[in-house]
Amino acid sequence: MITIEKQATNSQTMILSITGRMYAEQATTFRKQVLSLIEKGLTELKLNLSSLEYIDSSGLGVLISIRKHLDKVGGTLTILGIQGDVQELFELTRLNQVFHIE
Amino acid sequence: MRVIEVHLSFLHDQISQIRPIIKAFLEPFDHEGLHLEIGINEALNNAFYHSPKQGYLQMQLCLYRNHTLIIRIHDNGLGFQVGEKLATYDFNTDNEGGRGLLLMQAYFDRMIYNHNGNEVLLAKKMKGMSL
């Protein structure tokens, strides 16, 4: 229920644009995919969530996990394009103060 | 008097098939429906994570004539300590878990867990429906 579009400058820098609905099951799979990219050298990740229609605490937890893994390798995570209900969720959980958001 | 009532029993590994049913049930409620969808999925996720892999879950979605929505979710697991989770929640943490109960409370008027933590009742007085 989510599609992921990848734009990679090189193996260290990437933008992932997520479209659709990220339920707990999709969040688990997404986490594995991104951690695999980090193991292969990804350090600068931007997540474009402008077309994300649904996320809940499972997905938010995965974003935190990804950020922690990037922190360990000296990398960064930037969240792009949150709006509407997704933005409201970030604000309600105060994660808008935890993530770097553009 | 109940206007719409949906009863579901499903196995632990069928949970992903239930999500579209919840979405469809709440679609008439527009923006409010998305909030409730998140709350219900949070309750389902708790039931899923705290129940055995060969277990089952039951869910009832009831919409009453006075626009009150009542959701009941039960699993056959041992449950979890709801009170302890709520008491120890910290906004200033970047823990990966623990936000589900917060969202359930934010989006529903009432959230009542049983003593074991394997059954929850959620209630919401709806603002209205678009038909």
Side-chain angles (χ1 to χ4, degrees):
Chain A
M1 292 186 194
I2 58 169
T3 56
I4 303 170
E5 187 187 308
K6 225 185 265 188
Q7 283 174 264
T9 310
N10 48 52
S11 64
Q12 293 174 313
T13 308
M14 196 174 288
I15 300 174
L16 295 178
S17 298
I18 305 170
T19 300
R21 300 171 74 84
M22 187 185 288
Y23 296 110
E25 298 78 53
Q26 288 76 36
T28 301
T29 305
F30 180 66
R31 182 178 181 275
K32 284 182 195 161
Q33 291 170 335
V34 175
L35 294 192
S36 172
L37 291 170
I38 295 172
E39 279 174 23
K40 291 173 186 167
L42 176 68
T43 54
E44 309 297 322
L45 175 61
K46 293 189 178 186
L47 290 179
N48 179 1
L49 304 184
S50 59
S51 297
L52 185 64
E53 296 165 28
Y54 175 100
I55 188 169
D56 56 32
S57 70
S58 301
L60 296 176
V62 162
L63 298 184
I64 292 170
S65 174
I66 290 169
R67 200 204 66 176
K68 283 180 174 177
H69 279 81
L70 283 168
D71 282 349
K72 280 184 196 168
V73 298
T76 61
L77 172 66
T78 305
I79 307 291
L80 305 175
I82 58 167
Q83 57 189 333
D85 292 312
V86 174
Q87 181 171 358
E88 197 178 288
L89 198 65
F90 271 75
E91 290 167 0
L92 182 62
T93 56
R94 301 194 194 172
L95 289 178
N96 57 327
Q97 298 167 17
V98 168
F99 290 107
H100 179 218
I101 296 173
E102 287 178 8
Chain B
M1 177 181 169
R2 294 177 187 181
V3 175
I4 303 172
E5 190 173 334
V6 177
H7 288 251
L8 298 163
S9 291
F10 47 99
L11 298 174
H12 195 260
D13 61 1
Q14 293 175 317
I15 192 171
S16 62
Q17 298 170 42
I18 302 303
R19 316 272 189 200
I21 298 173
I22 298 167
K23 177 178 180 293
F25 184 85
L26 293 169
E27 225 140 43
F29 298 102
D30 299 324
H31 184 70
E32 195 178 24
L34 179 64
H35 291 169
L36 299 179
E37 185 188 355
I38 292 172
I40 294 170
N41 277 319
E42 296 293 353
L44 273 181
N45 292 343
N46 284 337
F48 178 84
Y49 289 123
H50 295 283
S51 61
K53 285 197 165 35
Q54 287 75 39
Y56 68 87
L57 293 87
Q58 292 175 317
M59 180 168 65
Q60 280 121 41
L61 306 161
C62 298
L63 178 63
Y64 290 80
R65 188 173 290 280
N66 65 352
H67 289 184
T68 299
L69 182 68
I70 304 284
I71 313 291
R72 175 183 166 271
I73 295 172
H74 172 85
D75 68 80
N76 67 332
L78 297 176
F80 67 106
Q81 293 301 310
V82 178
E84 191 181 297
K85 293 278 185 189
L86 286 170
T88 57
Y89 182 74
D90 181 2
F91 275 109
N92 296 319
T93 181
D94 60 356
N95 280 344
E96 292 170 37
R99 291 173 186 83
L101 292 173
L102 169 77
L103 294 177
M104 289 160 67
Q105 284 190 313
Y107 291 144
F108 280 88
D109 296 329
R110 296 295 300 272
M111 177 188 81
I112 303 170
Y113 266 94
N114 68 346
H115 178 74
N116 289 343
N118 67 341
E119 179 167 318
V120 64
L121 206 67
L122 299 168
K124 177 73 179 177
K125 185 66 186 267
M126 309 299 290
K127 289 190 175 73
M129 295 169 64
S130 65
L131 298 171

